[in-house]
Amino acid sequence: MDSESRFETPRLVLRKLLEGDAEALFPYWSDVRVTRYMKIDTLGTIDEARSLIRTIVKEMAEGKASRYVIKLKDTGHIIGTCGFETFQTEHHSAKISYELGKPYWGKGYASEALRCILADGFRTRRLHRVEAYIEPDNDRSIHALHKLGFMQEGRLRGALYKSNRYVDQLVFSLLREEME
């Protein structure tokens, strides 16, 4: 698990994901506009959100992942999550993922939150490489990654089976020296 359980940026507070966050996150995870690019199906119940969070919290406890809720500093309102979806410790690498509720798109929140956890990952976990896998038509995420200095490396054709179809994934990466 990460050494820190809370981070602050100029506009955001990031803290570890908890099962009690299900009620705040369910409206986003049940919105097809948000889940369209996530690796989960759109959720139908709060219990599904709790179950998903329990799975993520278990992976966090095992050191396999980290996940933070993203809260607005001025209101305390949860607007999404971000974190390291997987760690490959032997390679000093990790994969990030993130999502925001629709009302918070296009305001720079994803880049702000990711900059914070990336810095911690490179410093605390001594990561050398961070990857992101993005669907080709997810322009907002591609833009956020470019703002952070990620480079597109390639396209994995039919790499993800989701909603009864295979979708391509674009591979992006950021190396420690590129962040510094």
Side-chain angles (χ1 to χ4, degrees):
M1 245 188 315
D2 294 345
S3 61
E4 297 287 332
S5 59
R6 177 184 164 97
F7 301 104
E8 289 194 26
T9 71
R11 300 181 296 166
L12 305 172
V13 173
L14 283 68
R15 66 146 171 83
K16 294 237 183 244
L17 177 68
L18 303 169
E19 189 174 338
D21 296 323
E23 287 77 12
L25 292 168
F26 177 70
Y28 310 140
W29 293 348
S30 63
D31 183 343
V32 70
R33 296 169 300 178
V34 174
T35 61
R36 174 179 179 197
Y37 298 118
M38 292 175 67
K39 291 173 185 74
I40 63 167
D41 290 326
T42 304
L43 301 185
T45 68
I46 295 269
D47 285 337
E48 290 174 334
R50 285 188 192 102
S51 177
L52 176 59
I53 291 173
R54 279 193 297 272
T55 299
I56 295 168
V57 168
K58 181 178 183 283
E59 290 172 352
M60 289 167 49
E62 295 169 353
K64 296 178 181 176
S66 69
R67 200 75 187 172
Y68 299 91
V69 294
I70 305 168
K71 297 170 65 172
L72 293 177
K73 192 181 269 187
D74 60 351
T75 65
H77 191 75
I78 293 175
I79 65 171
T81 75
C82 66
F84 292 103
E85 180 177 309
T86 59
F87 291 107
Q88 294 180 320
T89 53
E90 68 276 13
H91 301 296
H92 307 271
S93 66
K95 186 189 318 181
I96 59 165
S97 61
Y98 47 92
E99 87 285 335
L100 294 176
K102 173 80 169 84
Y104 308 101
W105 293 359
K107 298 177 182 349
Y109 293 131
S111 298
E112 188 173 329
L114 290 173
R115 189 172 288 110
C116 184
I117 66 163
L118 287 166
D120 183 68
F122 287 126
R123 183 184 65 248
T124 304
R125 288 191 169 269
R126 301 189 189 283
L127 294 174
H128 169 70
R129 173 186 170 88
V130 176
E131 300 175 349
Y133 288 59
I134 307 294
E135 290 183 34
D137 55 348
N138 189 347
D139 295 331
R140 290 184 184 279
S141 278
I142 292 168
H143 177 71
L145 292 174
H146 283 305
K147 275 176 52 177
L148 292 166
F150 277 76
M151 296 181 63
Q152 183 177 335
E153 295 184 337
R155 182 183 197 113
L156 302 174
R157 298 178 305 135
L160 183 67
Y161 186 71
K162 183 179 166 207
S163 302
N164 298 317
R165 64 185 181 96
Y166 293 97
V167 295
D168 293 356
Q169 297 277 276
L170 299 179
V171 180
F172 291 82
S173 70
L174 180 68
L175 303 180
R176 178 199 309 248
E177 59 267 19
E178 295 165 344
M179 179 81 175
E180 295 169 349

